[in-house]
């Protein structure tokens, strides 16, 4: 009958500039798609070179090697009899574009440049690429000689065009174009395009997946059609984790779904759909509007059919219900997959974590444990790639993990660094958790090192600083806390480099950090302390979410030691104990609670509030618990802390991006790091507003 088509989309764990690995994964995905009967294969954005090349896009080598890979694809017998849609950078008239290249049987059909660029948050595409602003315009692109030799073509269509096969019409979107109010699929649908494709490099953020699914569903709810969504997955060398979710939608319903978090480097999703379902849907919903499109799409015709003449008994995919992970599951899975990619690609032999017995370091430890659970499950499922990577990491070609706890002992080292200000409770909590997850655990004491450093200072100055509890000043008190924290950082790196050497094993360890997003926001950590590490899986996650995550781990992994950790007040344990008990707590030190910080953080970044705007919003949000004067005090205190400590973000450990209010200074949250911390004009506006408010009695 010629009405049913089988289409393939995929999620690939590509790596920036890994042209050999990227080519292998692309070919593998095409081979799987062909095996499943697909006639069209869609891949992620910029899959040939990797999305995260950043300023390497400026280099002519990146363009050259991308075309060399494209030639390999054109020559491969794997790519025969299937339309292949791949992503790569292309320079046209000396302008660099982010493009899709569609080819069939050794011939390039068209090149479609990206029209709407992602240029906010973590994305800086305008820095490297220009948008194709010429609606419906198509030009001739002169192919490089190396491609001409293979295809026999001198030029190919380049621009805003669609592909017309003998049985349907296919239009392309690239990543951000789906999120735009001017999405190309709207115009294409009104001009009769039936299949839309979207190649993405979309990163994970907590509670974001439903937005992506809703956009894909709505794209075909309005005007009908088939929508294929492909995405990168994994860590391609930066702070973000691309979270897959390849999918196929038909007329507003999801009919095929890929995994959001997976250790498979190649995941191919296929779906068989009936094009007559699209035509019937449009006949009722859209027909009056489809005649009014003023300028039709430029159609590139190809003598090829996606369907066959004998498809009567070919079953089609039916609507399914999308399974969304809870935020706690996302924290358990996303950072764990990111850590594994980083570990196996870094060439190191495992992780080392200073485990303090508090919520933050325990969260990092639980994420590593979750990673080991995922690895063991993948090995049990027969994933030879994961098993090979594990053997390479542990340095044993015959090793096969039997249990997550046993694997944890091979690749994860934790140690508790006690001082005279540490309590027995936190030491025991750290030890109990290490025993339950199976990490190699050590207890050491740092007092000797701290005393030695203070001795050097005393020899030079003739003074010995004292804690505030012992009569010292605020400056002395802070300096004594900082020296303890910085000694721990030095020792962490020493043990990371030499602990495996001491036990006769090869390799070194990556140091893991454990400062959460709220502490980074206020600068509530010592510059160059244990927050200074190689990578930090929780640096983009709020304290509130981390506590919920640990509750999840108690049930999911039976880690009962976490109950005591959650019940204890958060503390840095850098000041002297009182009667053997902790006297210092985080929230007292910061002058606000972690829940208050989460609200303030979202207003600062997401709502783009300065001090005055934040005050105006919070007097309503917190009206039941705080007076306007108390709100003003909180806002002023936050902005003083934030501006005084912003310089710390310039050296903060690279962290997994998980929150839309992250203060990451590298790319996501660009701010000065030298402020006028008095905020005189802004705070005066708050004071003026306060003076005009009638009833402002403090809340009890």
């Amino acid at each position: 009958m010629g009405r049913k088509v089988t289409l393939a989309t995929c999620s690939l764990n590509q790596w920036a500039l890994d042209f050999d690995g990227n080519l292998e994964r692309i070919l593998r995905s095409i081979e799987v798609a062909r095996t499943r009967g697909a006639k069209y294969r869609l891949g992620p954005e910029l899959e040939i070179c990797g999305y995260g090349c950043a300023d390497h896009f400026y280099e002519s080598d990146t363009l050259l090697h991308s075309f060399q890979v494209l030639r390999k694809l054109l020559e491969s017998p794997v790519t025969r009899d299937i339309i292949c849609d791949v992503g790569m950078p292309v320079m046209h008239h000396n302008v660099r574009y982010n493009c899709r290249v569609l080819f069939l049987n050794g011939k390039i059909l068209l090149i479609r440049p990206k029209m709407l660029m992602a240029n906010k948050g973590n994305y800086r595409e305008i820095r490297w690429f220009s948008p194709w602003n010429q609606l419906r315009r198509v030009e001739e692109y002169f192919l490089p000689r190396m491609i001409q030799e293979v295809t026999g073509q001198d030029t190919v269509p380049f621009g805003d065009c669609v592909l017309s096969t003998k049985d349907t019409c296919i239009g392309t979107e690239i990543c951000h174009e789906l999120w735009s109010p001017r999405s190309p699929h709207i115009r294409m649908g009104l001009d009769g395009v039936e299949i839309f494709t979207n190649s993405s490099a979309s990163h994970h953020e907590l509670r974001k997946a439903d937005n992506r699914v809703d956009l894909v569903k709505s794209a075909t709810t309005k005007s009908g059609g088939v929508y294929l969504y492909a995405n990168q997955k994994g860590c391609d060398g930066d702070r973000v984790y691309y979270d897959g979710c390849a999918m196929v939608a038909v007329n507003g319903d999801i009919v095929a779904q890929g995994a959001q978090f997976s250790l498979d480097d190649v995941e191919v999703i296929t779906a068989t759909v009936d094009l007559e379902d699209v035509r019937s849907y449009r006949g009722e919903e859209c027909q009056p509007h489809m005649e009014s499109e003023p300028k039709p799409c430029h159609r590139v015709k190809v003598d090829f059919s996606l369907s066959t003449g004998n498809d009567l008994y070919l079953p089609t995919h039916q609507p399914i219900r999308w399974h969304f992970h809870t935020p706690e599951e996302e924290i358990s899975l996303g950072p764990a997959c990111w850590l594994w990619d980083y570990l196996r690609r870094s060439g190191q032999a495992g992780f080392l974590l200073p485990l303090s017995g508090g919520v933050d370091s325990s969260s990092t430890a639980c994420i590593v444990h979750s990673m080991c659970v995922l690895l063991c499950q993948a090995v049990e499922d027969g994933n030879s790639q994961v098993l090979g990577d594990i053997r390479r990491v542990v340095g044993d070609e015959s090793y096969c993990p039997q249990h997550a706890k046993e694997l944890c002992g091979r690749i994860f080292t934790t140690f508790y660094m006690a001082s005279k200000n540490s309590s027995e409770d936190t030491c025991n909590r750290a030890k109990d958790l290490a025993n339950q997850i199976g990490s190699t655990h050590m207890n050491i004491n740092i007092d000797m090192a701290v005393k030695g450093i203070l001795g050097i200072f005393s020899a030079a100055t003739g003074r010995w600083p004292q804690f505030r509890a012992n009569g010292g000043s605020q400056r002395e008190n802070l300096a004594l806390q900082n020296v303890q924290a910085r000694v721990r950082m030095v020792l962490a790196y020493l043990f990371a480099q030499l602990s495996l050497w001491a036990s006769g094993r090869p390799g070194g360890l990556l140091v893991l950090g454990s400062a959460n997003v709220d502490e980074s926001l206020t600068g509530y950590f010592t510059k160059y302390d244990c927050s200074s590490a190689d990578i930090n899986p929780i640096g983009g996650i709020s304290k509130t979410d981390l506590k919920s995550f640990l509750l999840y781990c108690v049930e999911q992994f039976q880690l009962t030691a976490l109950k005591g950790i959650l019940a204890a007040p958060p503390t840095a344990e850098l000041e002297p104990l009182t009667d053997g008990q902790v006297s210092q707590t985080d929230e007292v030190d910061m002058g606000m609670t972690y829940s208050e910080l989460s609200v303030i953080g979202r207003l600062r970044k997401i709502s783009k509030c300065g001090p005055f705007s934040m005050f105006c919003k919070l007097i309503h949000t917190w009206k039941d618990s705080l007076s306007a004067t108390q709100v003003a005090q909180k806002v002023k205190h936050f902005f003083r802390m934030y501006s005084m400590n912003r310089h710390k973000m310039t050296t903060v450990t690279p962290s997994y991006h998980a929150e839309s209010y992250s203060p990451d200074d590298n790319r996501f949250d660009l701010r000065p790091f030298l402020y006028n911390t008095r905020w005189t004009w802004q705070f005066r506006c708050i004071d003026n507003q306060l003076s005009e408010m009638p009833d402002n009695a403090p809340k009890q």
Side-chain angles (χ1 to χ4, degrees), residues 419 421 446 449-451 453-454 465-467 473-491 523-532 572-576 584 589 644-645 647-648:
S419 74
N421 301 319
I446 68 170
V450 173
K451 186 175 181 180
I453 291 173
L454 292 177
Q466 299 293 325
F467 281 105
S473 65
Q474 174 62 22
R475 281 192 293 174
E476 294 169 78
N477 195 66
L478 185 58
L480 288 172
Q481 293 183 66
N482 288 345
V483 73
Q484 294 172 77
R486 289 176 177 137
V487 162
R488 288 185 169 116
M489 185 269 288
V490 173
L491 288 172
Y524 184 65
F525 61 91
T526 300
K527 200 174 187 179
Y528 305 117
D529 69 347
C530 278
S531 65
S532 296
E573 286 196 333
L574 295 172
E575 294 189 31
Q584 178 187 27
D589 278 357
M644 285 170 57
N645 292 315
H647 65 94
K648 296 179 182 180

Side-chain angles (χ1 to χ4, degrees), residues 132-145:
W132 183 259
N133 291 321
Q134 304 175 74
L135 184 67
R136 300 287 194 260
R137 181 175 175 82
V138 178
E139 299 177 353
E140 283 189 319
Y141 176 76
F142 285 83
L143 294 169
R145 187 177 295 118

